[in-house]
Amino acid sequence: MSLKPWKAILTWDTAMTAEILEYTAVAFNIGYVILAARENIWCWPLGIIGSALSIWLFIDSKIYAESVLFTYYVIMGFYGWWAWSRGKTDSGKFDIRSLRVSTHIVILLVGYAATVGLFFLLQTFTDAEMPLLDSFTTIFSFIATWMVAKRIIENWIYWICINALTIYLYFSRDLNVYAMLSLVYTILAVYGYFEWRKDFINQIETS
């Protein structure tokens, strides 16, 4: 008896499972960004679940730096949840911060250096696709996620740039749903910036 029909069914089931996981992860990740933009602490559990579901998909697509990044997202999700639970002001809003330009210059220089280092590792030791772009978006996503947890308003500017680049990265690896998600993320990052900026200005005026 030929095994081809069974192989076809197995392949179909695997593909369907991956697709279901991708759409589920996307739903949770969109929920995370929307709630983060609205300074809602429940963004963090949604982000944890969405990131955990994403890890396997990136490993399967050989975007290894992204799988490491989403593992970091899970860890930072718990940290952000804890940090935000302790960060509200007397008005019930979160204390939003801003960094000096000189601090951002240092962050950018460190980020570029780390990008080169990660690119070398991926290029040398893995079969990663598009290792330079993968390294850049991964390193700066590490930085931007830390900024979100610390409630630094400029995180949204970083995310606008990162998400715009990941649109191309995901499309190139046939992760079309994630590519569209990055487009949505880019739009939501613009929304998040203006929402936080409004609260930041009010915070300065009332201090």
Side-chain angles (χ1 to χ4, degrees):
M1 180 179 177
S2 174
L3 295 178
K4 288 184 178 180
W6 294 104
K7 288 182 179 179
I9 293 173
L10 180 61
T11 302
W12 181 84
D13 286 343
T14 302
M16 285 297 295
T17 299
E19 187 175 359
I20 291 171
L21 282 177
E22 187 175 1
Y23 279 103
T24 304
V26 162
F28 277 102
N29 288 331
I30 288 177
Y32 159 76
V33 179
I34 292 173
L35 292 183
R38 298 179 66 84
E39 300 175 56
N40 188 316
I41 195 172
W42 290 104
C43 68
W44 294 109
L46 293 185
I48 291 169
I49 296 171
S51 298
L53 292 174
S54 301
I55 294 170
W56 177 84
L57 292 170
F58 289 123
I59 293 175
D60 187 59
S61 298
K62 296 182 180 181
I63 307 180
Y64 302 121
E66 289 291 299
S67 64
V68 173
L69 172 62
F70 274 72
T71 301
Y72 168 77
Y73 284 166
V74 172
I75 296 170
M76 284 299 295
F78 287 104
Y79 171 74
W81 198 350
W82 172 79
W84 280 32
S85 68
R86 304 172 70 250
K88 283 191 175 181
T89 63
D90 294 336
S91 64
K93 290 286 188 177
F94 290 108
D95 181 22
I96 300 173
R97 306 163 189 173
S98 179
L99 298 179
R100 296 178 179 177
V101 173
S102 58
T103 303
H104 284 292
I105 291 174
V106 173
I107 289 173
L108 290 172
L109 291 175
V110 172
Y112 291 144
T115 295
V116 172
L118 182 56
F119 167 71
F120 173 78
L121 293 175
L122 292 178
Q123 183 83 342
T124 305
F125 300 108
T126 76
D127 58 347
E129 300 285 344
M130 305 185 68
L132 182 58
L133 180 58
D134 194 8
S135 299
F136 180 86
T137 57
T138 295
I139 291 298
F140 279 93
S141 293
F142 272 101
I143 294 169
T145 302
W146 171 79
M147 287 183 174
V148 176
K150 289 295 186 180
R151 300 180 299 280
I152 297 169
I153 190 172
E154 290 87 2
N155 85 83
W156 296 110
I157 297 175
Y158 282 70
W159 282 123
I160 291 169
C161 299
I162 294 165
N163 292 325
L165 289 172
T166 54
I167 294 172
Y168 174 70
L169 175 64
Y170 292 153
F171 265 132
S172 71
R173 298 304 301 144
D174 202 30
L175 291 170
N176 298 330
V177 175
Y178 272 87
M180 294 304 298
L181 175 62
S182 291
L183 176 59
V184 173
Y185 277 171
T186 304
I187 297 170
L188 289 176
V190 175
Y191 166 75
Y193 173 75
F194 283 105
E195 283 293 300
W196 281 37
R197 183 174 179 271
K198 179 176 61 179
D199 290 338
F200 182 64
I201 293 173
N202 290 336
Q203 178 182 300
I204 293 174
E205 291 175 348
T206 57
S207 62

